[in-house]
Amino acid sequence: MPTPAPTVQDAATAGGTAVVLVAAGSGTRLGAGVPKALAPVAGRPMLAHALDGVLAALPGVPVVVVIPPDDARLAEVCAPYARDGVVCLPGGSTRHASVRAGLEAVPAGTRHVLVHDAARCFAPAGVHHAVLAALRDGAEAVVPALPVVDTIKEAAPGQDGAEYAASTPDRSVLRAVQTPQGFALAPLLAAHATAAGWDEAASAAVTDDALLMERLGHRVRIVPGAPEALKITTPLDLAAAEALAARPDPRRPPLTYMTPSGPVLPRTGLGVDVHAFAPDGEERPLWLAGLNWPGERGLSGHSDGDAVAHAACDALFSAAGIGDLGTHFGTDRPEFAGASGATLLAEAARLVRAAGYGIGNVAVQFVGNRPKFGPRRQEADAALTAAAGAPVTVTATTSDRLGYEGEGQGITAYATALVYPAAGGPRA
């Protein structure tokens, strides 16, 4: 009799299991202009959705996230999850190198590991459980997969340079493989050690860890996958993921927008922040809208002086009615000295959600005659959206050389935010 799939409670107590979440892809085919795992789905980074799914499916199981080297933006997405025991580390130049870095960072005593792709950010809990059940039943390698519904042709070039169908495999035996894939840790580490000596062509031919195990003679068990575990690779996939994100979350009660005393309305807030440019001769980098601006004089401040991010924080606090920037990040809080604007925005968003509100969006406009903002507008929007976990848009204008902004003495940022009561309502 097959072992039944573990419940969420089983997973929580399944000692010796860890998850490696790979988020080191460039996202070139997606065309989002940012690393794939940073691309927003329903206003939140893909990586955040993936982490939410893993932590809900396997509570208490250690998670190691592998991100592109030197990418502070994805590290910022991971930061709020540190309280759940999530560890974030840089990957390598190839998928093999990234997975191996994650495997080497799992806790001592790990016997089974699930290797998951952040691009499959809506993989249901049942898929995680089925993979883990097969591992606990003795399998060394497990993949979730779906039957192939299309007719598949093997193509071959003709003498005229065109492609022709060379053969048609029987689709009844074909499966489309997904993640998370599960492995006994020891043989998977040994397989990666062997593959480290392969040449570039041999490495490129191995597209996932299950294929690596196959090449080295291990049997790979197949368990049922799920359509929701689609891989987001193209803009069309992203549209499908947006539809998945719009579905009601069965773990949360529906929102109630009417009370006995009348409708529950969204709340708006305003935020303003001003920072002077650092004095001549002071070596201080410019951070603005979550981005570093090489060659520009920085802004003075207790943290990094990012007026745009700070105004966004103030607008969120104002909308939720929980104070202001000084309340939460004042000079009496030494832990925020030098903190990045993106870090503060992520923490502000967390505080607003903890107060019982969802975030609709934030809009910021800054006034200043430098830096030249237009060419990096989309990059700034993506960085701040990733930090807030909700849509953030930034615009810029000059003051026609009037006032301190026009004279190049400083920058002013104005922000508005919209929040709404989440399920259960605001908490005191």
Side-chain angles (χ1 to χ4, degrees), residues 158-172:
Q159 292 183 347
D160 59 358
E163 274 193 347
Y164 292 89
S167 65
T168 305
D170 177 5
R171 72 182 182 188
S172 69

Side-chain angles (χ1 to χ4, degrees), residues 370-425:
R370 61 185 180 87
K372 188 174 182 180
F373 185 67
R376 302 188 70 185
R377 178 179 288 109
Q378 289 186 336
E379 188 182 354
D381 289 354
L384 295 180
T385 293
V392 180
T393 53
V394 185
T395 56
T397 187
T398 65
S399 59
D400 288 335
R401 301 188 179 279
L402 298 175
Y404 61 87
E405 302 103 336
E407 294 171 1
Q409 297 179 42
I411 282 177
T412 304
Y414 303 89
T416 60
L418 183 144
V419 303
Y420 55 89

Side-chain angles (χ1 to χ4, degrees), residues 96 141 183 187-188 190-192 194-195 198-220:
H96 289 317
F183 305 93
L188 182 59
H192 272 271
T194 300
W198 292 354
D199 61 29
E200 186 176 346
S203 293
V206 179
T207 53
D208 66 6
D209 295 276
L211 181 52
L212 174 61
M213 294 288 275
E214 279 184 67
R215 291 283 172 87
L216 295 176
H218 298 276
R219 296 186 72 194
V220 178

